[in-house]
Amino acid sequence: MTAISASAVPAAASPDPDGAVLHRPVIDWFDAHARDLPWRRPEAGAWGVMVSEFMLQQTPVNRVLPVYEQWLARWPRPADLAAEPPGEAVRAWGRLGYPRRALRLHGAAAAIRERHGGDVPRDHAQLLALPGVGEYTAAAVASFAYGQRHPVLDTNVRRVFARAVGGAQYPPNATTAAERKLARTLLPDDEPTAARWAAATMELGALVCTARTPDCARCPIAALCAWRQAGSPEHDGPPRRGQTYAGTDRQVRGKLLAVLRGTVTPVPQATLDQVWDEPVQRARALDGLVSDGLVEPLSGGLYRLPLT
């Protein structure tokens, strides 16, 4: 591919960067290199896209794939999931982590059945009004399932924009108003191209412009990248948040849930006490699961996954 002159891209400080010079090379790269993922196939439908978006939050694709396939085989439509107790969603979530996402997806499915006749709504505002659906997920479903024009800002896209346009190694820890404005500015005008751009920038961040070892030699916009033009400076902002797990309450919660997922009958407190030696942390983790609605306490010191 012929490189576009770096002078064609406005300086990183420009308030209105022109995304047009980026669109074609990134979308062409995506057309040639995109992974064949089940939620990208036409048969996935809007429900398959929504399920994938819930599962992929903070979870890598290779861990999501088997759970996604099992989930769609069991619950091919929102009404199928809504007909089951929420605890079954938690059980089927397995070890994907952050299991509150399972409850939120179950709640969204119930709302889709009740408000939209069982079909995932096309309207962005209606998507945003579903329980458990935030700004990112509503935009992603509207864009990827229905080909609409919305800025889709996940961690990968934010990193691509931070480097290519902002000249920074990493984006801020939390999404800012400036990032949202930039994403809207870079969005192609027509809906099909905008939807393709959203998917392409996400894939570019996942496969090439990665957090730790970006493969700039494979990047279709390396010649246009403001961060490379600046000499690839090291991150000088606030420390980036780590993803610790061992010894945390998250680990204890996971162990407790694993016991409850493994049986359809209530589990006594004594059984749960065996999963972690430190009683204060174990009790705190169990209380948190109950507070989050992931575990239901019963009389007699018994616990189960929630039925309502």
Side-chain angles (χ1 to χ4, degrees), residues 112-137:
I112 290 168
R113 180 183 63 176
E114 294 163 7
R115 303 175 194 170
H116 304 288
D119 294 322
V120 177
R122 298 177 63 93
D123 182 75
H124 179 266
Q126 291 179 333
L127 286 166
L128 197 55
L130 294 173
V133 173
E135 175 187 356
Y136 165 78
T137 303

Side-chain angles (χ1 to χ4, degrees), residues 62-193:
N62 63 335
R63 289 183 57 201
V64 166
L65 281 169
V67 181
Y68 173 89
E69 299 281 10
Q70 294 164 11
W71 191 284
L72 268 295
R74 180 173 178 181
W75 298 309
R77 290 181 52 81
D80 300 318
L81 174 59
E84 298 248 23
E88 286 305 300
V90 177
R91 192 187 314 279
W93 200 255
R95 303 190 64 82
L96 283 182
Y98 302 100
R100 277 178 289 184
R101 293 179 293 170
L103 289 183
R104 291 170 183 155
L105 184 51
H106 184 276
I112 290 168
R113 180 183 63 176
E114 294 163 7
R115 303 175 194 170
H116 304 288
D119 294 322
V120 177
R122 298 177 63 93
D123 182 75
H124 179 266
Q126 291 179 333
L127 286 166
L128 197 55
L130 294 173
V133 173
E135 175 187 356
Y136 165 78
T137 303
V141 173
S143 179
F144 302 150
Y146 295 123
Q148 297 176 14
R149 183 180 183 271
H150 295 282
V152 182
L153 273 176
D154 81 335
T155 301
N156 290 315
V157 177
R158 293 175 62 223
R159 185 170 58 251
V160 169
F161 290 173
R163 290 174 179 168
V165 179
Q169 185 179 19
Y170 299 118
N173 283 335
T175 307
T176 65
E179 287 181 283
R180 294 186 180 95
K181 179 182 178 181
L182 174 62
R184 290 192 298 270
T185 301
L186 294 175
L187 204 59
D189 290 333
D190 67 283
E191 287 201 330
T193 306

